[in-house]
Amino acid sequence: MTVRNRVLVLVASVLFLAAVAVASVVHASARADRRDRTQADGPKVTSGQVTLDAPGEMVFRNMAWGPHRDELTTVPASDPSGPRTASGVKCLRFYAGSGTGVCLQAVHGTLTDTYRAEILDAHLKVRARYDVPGIPSRARVSPSGRYAAWTAFVGGDSYAGTNFSTRAAIVDTRTGRLTPSLESYRILKDGHTYHAADVNFWGVTFAPDDRTFYATLATKGQTYLVRGDLRAHTVTTVHTNVECPSLSPDGTRIAFKKRVKGLPKDAPWHLYVLNLRTMRETPLAEPRSVDDQVVWHGDHTVVYALAGDYGADLYQVPADGTGVARRISTAAVSPAYVGR
């Protein structure tokens, strides 16, 4: 090939790459513009007042395209698919209890995003902020509002992989005292103190006594349900193959996602409920793989997110293994039932 032909090939390659780059920018801009426009067939969303102590309300992250996408939004719990009231407060993950909320947010920088947790009062005013070391994944508040917890992926890893790192933090919302990682707690496994370099925690859920919590512990390729003690700073293994536990309001059962052999690696989970007294597992009537930390609506129903046209939709299923799964709301994620 002559020098002239090489130059022509180089110029053509540069022009092609430039065209691809321009097309990508235009496509991204067009997609962003579509996301900002209300969809004709989407839920009705209007601005208004959202509080975390209004009786009988469900507050969640609105995923519908339009000016209120990603905002905390409320509907009557009795009409989850009804018109929505949007707050103006944006969260990636959210939860609330007794008028206290935790909102996990992205802070968009020039070169990269960072993340933070905001503790909110009943009127969504910020009471405190904490840095989050990675991509937010799970959020919970204790029934009393005294404690908040969150989980983040460190390094952008995924639960679906075999190698990942997470950080689970707990904060006392009254004193502001933060435990940045549950890895600082003493682990009791099979009656003995346990140490391992590969320990990870995620998916905290709180009991009503302001002392006990449950979470997932992963080590040596196995996951465990652990019971934590906020005063003794210990966690004790309770049951195997438990991820993203959620304690029932009556404190007797744990809803969780369980890895089931034979399922695809990218969709390995089914929902189960564990009786904490008998340790009996009950599979729930949701046939699809659920990668979520479910929320209890009362003592007999669990609510969770599955992929939808706008990112995620909310479904519910009975907690006793009967019935069928039913979609209750489109374009929604991270629900919390407030003002009970």
Side-chain angles (χ1 to χ4, degrees), residues 26-320:
V26 170
H27 176 74
S29 177
R31 181 173 173 81
D33 181 62
R34 289 197 304 271
R35 285 162 62 98
D36 289 337
R37 280 189 249 160
T38 302
Q39 303 298 298
D41 58 346
K44 182 180 179 181
V45 188
T46 56
S47 298
Q49 185 178 21
V50 175
T51 64
L52 303 182
D53 55 5
E57 295 286 300
M58 181 177 77
V59 181
F60 57 96
R61 175 189 172 193
N62 172 55
M63 300 288 286
W65 286 4
H68 301 293
R69 183 176 170 89
D70 297 327
E71 292 183 18
L72 292 184
T73 308
T74 188
V75 293
S78 59
D79 186 20
S81 63
R84 305 174 178 185
T85 301
S87 66
V89 176
K90 292 189 175 184
C91 304
L92 297 176
R93 291 289 184 269
F94 166 78
Y95 200 72
S98 294
T100 296
V102 58
C103 171
L104 306 184
Q105 298 177 325
V107 182
H108 302 297
T110 304
L111 299 178
T112 186
D113 290 346
T114 57
Y115 303 94
R116 68 187 179 195
E118 292 190 339
I119 305 302
L120 308 177
D121 68 12
H123 300 285
L124 305 185
K125 301 301 182 183
V126 179
R127 294 168 49 191
R129 286 192 177 98
Y130 301 90
D131 292 335
V132 175
I135 300 173
S137 172
R138 308 294 180 216
R140 278 296 187 269
V141 176
S142 65
S144 70
R146 171 72 183 272
Y147 293 96
W150 54 86
T151 303
F153 291 122
V154 178
D157 299 308
S158 168
Y159 282 149
T162 55
N163 296 308
F164 61 88
S165 180
T166 59
R167 296 287 184 276
I170 295 179
V171 65
D172 185 327
T173 65
R174 294 183 190 173
T175 67
R177 181 180 179 182
L178 174 70
T179 301
S181 174
L182 287 180
E183 292 173 29
S184 64
Y185 275 40
R186 180 188 175 201
I187 301 170
L188 298 173
K189 181 175 177 289
D190 301 324
H192 303 283
T193 299
Y194 178 79
H195 298 282
D198 69 341
V199 164
N200 279 286
F201 290 94
W202 65 85
V204 174
T205 182
F206 293 98
D209 62 5
D210 276 343
R211 176 168 183 167
T212 306
F213 67 91
Y214 294 86
T216 295
L217 160 67
T219 182
K220 308 300 183 187
Q222 179 65 274
T223 59
Y224 300 86
L225 175 68
V226 294
R227 182 177 58 251
D229 189 316
L230 290 164
R231 298 178 193 173
H233 289 190
T234 60
V235 293
T236 304
T237 57
V238 174
H239 199 68
T240 60
N241 198 5
V242 172
E243 299 184 53
C244 297
S246 181
L247 184 65
S248 62
D250 63 11
T252 64
R253 291 156 294 155
I254 291 281
F256 65 101
K257 62 180 194 179
K258 175 180 179 177
R259 289 181 184 266
V260 178
K261 291 181 179 180
L263 294 182
K265 288 186 177 180
D266 61 346
W269 298 289
H270 274 178
L271 293 181
Y272 282 75
V273 166
L274 174 69
N275 184 304
L276 290 173
R277 183 179 63 83
T278 65
M279 291 294 143
R280 178 174 177 264
E281 296 180 1
T282 299
L284 302 190
E286 169 55 80
R288 294 160 291 187
S289 180
V290 177
D291 183 9
D292 197 12
Q293 185 175 18
V294 308
V295 171
W296 288 80
H297 184 201
D299 285 317
H300 306 293
T301 305
V302 296
V303 177
Y304 49 93
L306 285 170
D309 291 341
Y310 302 102
D313 297 335
L314 292 178
Y315 291 77
Q316 70 177 29
V317 72
D320 62 0

